Amino acid sequence: MTPALNTLNTVRREQALAAIAPLVERSPWVAEAAVDLRPFASDEALAEALVEVILTASPEQRLALFNVHPELSGTEATEGRMTAESTSEQGRLGLIGLPGDEARRLEALNAAYRARFGHPFIIALHRVPDRATLFTIFERRLKATHLEEHTTTLAEIASVIRSRCRNAFGAADQTTRNDPSTSLPETETQENSQ
């Protein structure tokens, strides 16, 4: 158990909530439901508890969770209203302050996705190596059925939560291990190479 996780397991409930809440995008209800499951044996156990809360939530709660996510390079990004975590994740791919053509392309994709699915496009950016791959995945997911996209969106959120838990509460050497959640799934890798 890491020192950070040991601290999380032993601090007052309010302090634990403050530490857990940023792991799930602007959805403190998830932390509220998971915090009393302490102690967590590992960062993976914490991530599992948070994801389980989401998976057992009502469809309305899941849609609300989807809708608090910022669009990629959207107005929240340009106005500086994203969480620190989302700013870092989008910033890694240079999505904040995109050049004109890419900005317009992403704006059109965001609008088409929201019109089709009723919420912002959500992707675990820590698994995306570059913007070209991001655009390919975005365009492919626009063609998915509603059920496929709902399932994919939940999986992407789970991957983000695992990454944030690992960064906040995992051992330092975990960031260098070969972890499948930090690379593209096999199907996406194969599709992108075609």
Side-chain angles (χ1 to χ4, degrees):
M1 183 176 302
T2 64
L5 192 59
N6 186 55
T7 299
L8 176 69
N9 285 331
T10 58
V11 296
R12 291 190 340 261
R13 187 176 193 274
E14 298 76 28
Q15 293 171 295
L17 279 171
I20 295 172
L23 304 174
V24 182
E25 192 73 24
R26 293 185 172 146
S27 300
W29 60 271
V30 179
E32 265 297 329
V35 70
D36 294 326
L37 300 173
R38 293 181 301 161
F40 299 108
S42 65
D43 59 289
E44 290 94 352
L46 171 58
E48 185 176 313
L50 294 167
V51 170
E52 186 66 24
V53 169
I54 294 166
L55 294 178
T56 57
S58 70
E60 295 79 17
Q61 286 175 304
R62 285 195 301 267
L63 182 59
L65 170 68
F66 294 177
N67 273 304
V68 296
H69 283 75
E71 289 186 339
L72 298 179
S73 193
T75 56
E76 286 183 318
T78 58
E79 295 174 1
R81 293 185 293 116
M82 290 194 305
T83 63
E85 294 78 14
S86 287
T87 300
S88 174
E89 291 158 1
Q90 289 199 30
R92 185 185 69 79
L93 289 180
L95 297 178
I96 301 169
L98 277 175
D101 287 346
E102 285 185 304
R104 284 186 292 277
R105 183 179 176 195
L106 198 48
E107 185 179 347
L109 287 168
N110 281 330
Y113 187 93
R114 187 177 287 276
R116 178 161 165 72
F117 296 108
H119 59 80
F121 176 75
I122 300 169
I123 187 166
L125 291 172
H126 68 273
R127 300 181 316 125
V128 179
D130 53 48
R131 289 196 305 260
T133 302
L134 173 65
F135 281 115
T136 299
I137 294 169
F138 204 149
E139 289 169 350
R140 178 179 43 82
R141 283 180 52 191
L142 264 169
K143 299 172 188 168
T145 67
H146 283 267
L147 179 59
E148 290 168 336
E149 193 54 22
H150 185 81
T151 302
T152 299
T153 299
L154 287 170
E156 295 294 327
I157 289 171
S159 184
V160 169
I161 291 170
R162 283 193 308 271
S163 175
R164 289 180 180 183
C165 285
R166 186 172 45 253
N167 290 339
F169 298 104
D173 65 344
Q174 285 184 309
T175 57
T176 59
R177 72 179 182 203
N178 185 12
D179 186 332
S181 71
T182 60
S183 60
L184 288 173
E186 189 66 27
T187 56
E188 289 178 359
T189 305
Q190 289 171 352
E191 287 175 335
N192 291 338
S193 65
Q194 294 175 358

